[in-house]
């Protein structure tokens, strides 16, 4: 989970370098783990904002937040929880450890506002759906194109829930916190393409990746998105490194970073998770090679020494003997 300060920094980069579809998908991913608060649209998660959102008809904050009851409660101070990333004794108005909170329609509203500078009209998911000027296209979930758009769950005549389809059947939505799911989960019934994303991704001019480049390729790190991240993930997958269940989705997340670090360690590079000149070179140098694992049992010490002299890249698995 990232802090609000870090996410805002990354969103500023996304808006500068990537098309709106890519940027919306990556921004939603960056918010994973942030908390749910009824009626919220991206306010900071701190004592003053939580107290202002506490309502008798929606008492979850009062029952769950440690700032309200018990010996830990300190007026104006956050005593710390899984959604606070820093020193709980710090000045909450300035502290970078804060996250933000949303309800489901507040999450989609905030993401589109941050990336597109556009306000989704409607006080709730139902009124958002019913406001025709919000959408360039909408329909049943079975007809949804494989692109970034919003999804809705209709129960009777009410849109009970909403989220963001980021492509490939993956949904990011806020319910008990920002989380991922699949288009087949939760009974999603409808989709809608916001007017600010009305152009198909192929029709939107993609900006240049981050400015810092080596040998024509960008320096990549966690939080980056785009075609070069897809290339990186594909190369790692071809080397049998696990980049996560989403595969080469073009989003440099936690799993991709772990794969990069493991590749770097294996190839004698600094395992900082940043893909610079040396890491690109190592990936390309071995891109055409195939590796196989074979176990040869019952070798004498002399035979093993001879084999290792002949094949200098042979590795011995001491645990298997």
């Amino acid at each position: 989970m990232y802090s609000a300060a870090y996410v805002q920094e990354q969103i500023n980069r996304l808006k500068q370098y990537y098309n709106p579809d890519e940027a919306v998908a990556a921004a939603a991913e960056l918010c994973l783990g942030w908390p749910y608060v009824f009626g919220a649209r991206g306010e900071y998660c701190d004592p003053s904002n939580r107290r202002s959102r506490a309502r008798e008809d929606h008492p979850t904050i009062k029952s769950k937040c440690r700032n309200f009851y018990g010996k830990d409660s300190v007026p104006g101070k956050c005593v710390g929880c899984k959604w606070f990333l820093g020193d709980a004794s710090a000045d909450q108005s300035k502290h970078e450890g804060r996250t933000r909170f949303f309800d489901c329609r507040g999450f989609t509203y905030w993401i589109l506002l941050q990336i597109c500078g556009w306000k989704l009209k409607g006080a709730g998911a139902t009124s958002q759906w019913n406001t025709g000027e919000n959408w360039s296209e909408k329909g049943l979930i079975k007809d949804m194109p494989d692109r970034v758009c919003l999804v809705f769950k209709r129960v009777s005549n009410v849109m009970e829930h909403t989220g963001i389809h980021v492509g490939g059947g993956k949904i990011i939505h806020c319910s008990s916190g920002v989380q991922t799911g699949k288009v087949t989960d939760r009974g999603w019934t409808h989709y809608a393409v916001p007017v600010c994303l009305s152009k198909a991704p192929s029709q939107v001019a993609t900006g240049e990746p981050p400015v810092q480049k080596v040998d024509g390729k960008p320096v990549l790190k966690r939080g980056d998105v785009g075609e070069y991240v897809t290339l990186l993930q594909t190369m790692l997958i071809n080397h049998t490194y696990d980049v996560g269940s989403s595969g080469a989705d073009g989003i440099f997340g936690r799993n991709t970073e772990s794969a990069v670090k493991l590749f770097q360690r294996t190839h004698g590079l600094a395992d900082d998770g940043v893909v610079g000149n040396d890491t690109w070179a190592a990936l390309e140098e071995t891109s055409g090679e195939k590796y196989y694992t074979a176990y040869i049992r019952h070798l004498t010490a002399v035979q093993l020494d001879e084999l290792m002299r002949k094949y200098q890249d042979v590795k011995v698995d001491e645990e298997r003997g």
Side-chain angles (χ1 to χ4, degrees), residues 8-294:
Q8 194 62 59
E9 176 188 338
Q10 295 304 309
I11 283 176
N12 291 339
R13 295 178 69 246
L14 291 168
K15 291 190 294 184
Q16 184 176 0
Y17 296 118
Y18 298 101
N19 74 48
D21 281 64
E22 289 180 318
V24 165
E29 186 93 19
L30 288 167
C31 298
L32 289 174
W34 285 4
Y36 176 98
V37 170
F38 180 75
R41 296 199 294 184
E43 294 87 350
Y44 284 115
C45 185
D46 59 28
S48 61
N49 285 334
R50 278 187 166 263
R51 287 178 182 275
S52 70
R53 288 288 173 184
R55 294 167 44 171
E56 294 302 326
D57 59 339
H58 193 83
T60 306
I61 297 176
K62 289 185 177 181
S63 63
K64 300 294 185 182
C65 182
R66 295 169 62 195
N67 285 288
F68 282 88
Y69 296 111
K71 62 181 181 180
D72 291 333
S73 179
V74 180
K77 295 288 185 180
C78 180
V79 297
C81 69
K82 65 180 180 180
W83 291 303
F84 186 74
L85 306 176
D87 178 6
S89 65
D91 181 351
Q92 298 303 300
S93 65
K94 300 178 181 178
H95 203 279
E96 294 186 355
R98 294 178 298 180
T99 57
R100 294 181 182 272
F101 50 45
F102 317 91
D103 62 8
C104 66
R105 55 91 208 188
F107 175 62
T108 58
Y109 171 91
W110 189 83
I111 291 293
L112 292 175
L113 179 63
Q114 297 305 306
I115 297 299
C116 305
W118 180 77
K119 295 182 178 180
L120 190 63
K121 295 180 176 63
T126 302
S127 56
Q128 286 177 349
W129 171 264
N130 288 335
T131 304
E133 61 189 287
N134 281 337
W135 319 110
S136 63
E137 173 189 342
K138 62 181 183 178
L140 296 175
I141 200 73
K142 66 181 182 64
D143 300 318
M144 182 177 68
D146 188 12
R147 59 158 302 164
V148 175
C149 59
L150 269 56
V151 292
F152 293 84
K153 176 184 178 180
R154 172 176 279 173
V155 177
S156 297
N157 293 319
V158 176
M159 290 301 183
E160 187 179 81
H161 193 42
T162 185
I164 302 173
H165 175 250
V166 296
K170 181 178 180 180
I171 307 294
I172 299 179
H173 60 105
C174 190
S175 175
S176 300
V178 180
Q179 57 188 277
T180 60
K182 299 178 181 178
V183 73
T184 53
D185 296 340
R186 302 185 67 91
W188 300 106
T189 58
H190 293 75
Y191 80 93
V193 179
V195 294
C196 63
L197 302 177
S198 59
K199 293 182 179 180
S202 60
Q203 296 174 305
V204 182
T206 303
E208 285 294 313
V211 174
Q212 186 182 7
K213 290 186 176 182
V214 288
D215 296 338
K217 292 185 177 64
V219 174
L220 298 178
K221 64 181 184 300
R222 187 169 172 177
D224 288 333
V225 298
E227 59 180 325
Y228 282 107
V229 177
T230 302
L231 173 62
L232 167 66
Q233 292 169 323
T234 301
M235 296 174 82
L236 288 167
I237 291 170
N238 288 343
H239 285 291
T240 71
Y241 290 87
D242 181 13
V243 299
S245 59
S246 298
D249 59 1
I251 301 173
F252 197 134
R254 184 181 298 105
N255 291 321
T256 299
E257 183 182 52
S258 297
V260 168
K261 288 182 177 180
L262 181 56
F263 176 87
Q264 290 170 328
R265 287 195 296 272
T266 303
H267 290 79
L269 303 172
D271 58 342
D272 56 5
V274 177
V275 182
N277 189 46
D278 292 341
T279 303
W280 279 121
L283 283 163
E284 291 174 349
E285 182 179 334
T286 57
S287 61
E289 298 178 0
K290 293 184 178 180
Y291 297 89
Y292 301 89
T293 300

